Amino acid sequence: SAPPCSTLAMEMPLDMAPARCSGPETDMQRPGGFGWPSTTSPAETKQNSREQTMALALRRLFPNASLPDPLILHIVGADMKEVPDGSSAKRAAASATSMLSQLPALLRQDGWDGDLRILLVGPGLDCRSDDGMVHRGSDTHTRTDFAFRARPYEPEADAEVLGRPSAAFLFNAGVWGYDSWPPTVRAVAQMGVPTVITAYNWFEADDDESALEAILPPEAWLWRPSPNPFSSLEPRDSASADRWDQWENS
């Protein structure tokens, strides 16, 4: 049977049979987040949700310790949530390293011991972080390279920055609400790059699914919306959250 649909992670594509969750609206208004230890504070879940979500999705995309080396990831639509300090490319690399500090260790738990390359791209990035160069992160155990592009995503051009991506991540994208997303998602899908999309709650995930169904064929899906065990448990403070509560990466 379908899991109770609290909030959903819009993760596309993957390998589960298409299914829509059903349940009372009160269930839909709760986040996922059932993967966190009980001692984890809401603030900690918000801080670490992205890297835990990425690790979980990568395990599903590359089962049985089959992660590629180098592992090349694109974070599309990145902004100050992923790069709090973009006042220079060097500070942006340190900032991104801090935001994703657990990701290399989470991947090493599965026996992976390779190089990690992450491109963060989006018009919401500080333009001072975009110097056209590649910068080494500060993780001492895993070689991690970062590059930043303060502009809309250009799949073909961006695949040349660090190499063809192993996967792309669109955090809390709101595909349903922005005209710029459909052509971007379509272009990434045409490249054959697995793309993971998260939403703020079940309602937005459902709207994202409808928007994606209008631009992608059924065979493009590898998995359908599912609750994210590592969603943030700290409600989002947003002027637009007037009808339903929001949590990052639900």
Side-chain angles (χ1 to χ4, degrees), residues 30 44 67 121 179 214 233:
R30 294 199 303 268
E44 289 174 317
L67 281 169
V121 54
D179 293 339
L233 295 178

Side-chain angles (χ1 to χ4, degrees), residues 12-70:
M12 184 289 299
L14 281 170
D15 58 3
M16 298 182 68
R20 290 181 182 270
C21 290
S22 60
E25 186 169 313
T26 52
D27 286 339
M28 295 179 183
Q29 291 178 347
R30 294 199 303 268
F34 47 84
W36 298 108
S38 59
T39 55
T40 310
S41 70
E44 289 174 317
T45 67
K46 181 179 179 181
Q47 172 72 21
N48 300 323
S49 176
R50 280 169 175 72
E51 53 199 354
Q52 290 281 358
T53 299
M54 293 171 77
L56 178 64
L58 289 167
R59 290 184 186 116
R60 295 182 67 183
L61 288 167
F62 302 99
N64 303 317
S66 61
L67 281 169
D69 181 15

Side-chain angles (χ1 to χ4, degrees), residues 61-139:
L61 288 167
F62 302 99
N64 303 317
S66 61
L67 281 169
D69 181 15
L71 178 60
I72 303 170
L73 306 177
H74 286 186
I75 299 179
V76 184
D79 56 24
M80 292 185 66
K81 292 188 180 70
E82 287 80 27
V83 188
D85 184 356
S87 56
S88 71
K90 183 177 181 179
R91 289 184 177 179
S95 183
T97 299
S98 177
M99 286 296 293
L100 300 172
S101 61
Q102 293 185 19
L103 181 59
L106 291 169
L107 299 177
R108 289 196 299 269
Q109 289 176 5
D110 299 325
W112 178 83
D113 187 22
D115 292 345
L116 183 61
R117 303 176 185 174
I118 302 178
L119 172 68
L120 297 100
V121 54
L125 289 177
D126 190 321
C127 63
R128 293 173 293 178
S129 68
D130 183 355
D131 64 355
M133 300 178 67
V134 176
H135 295 266
R136 183 65 46 82
S138 57
D139 187 278

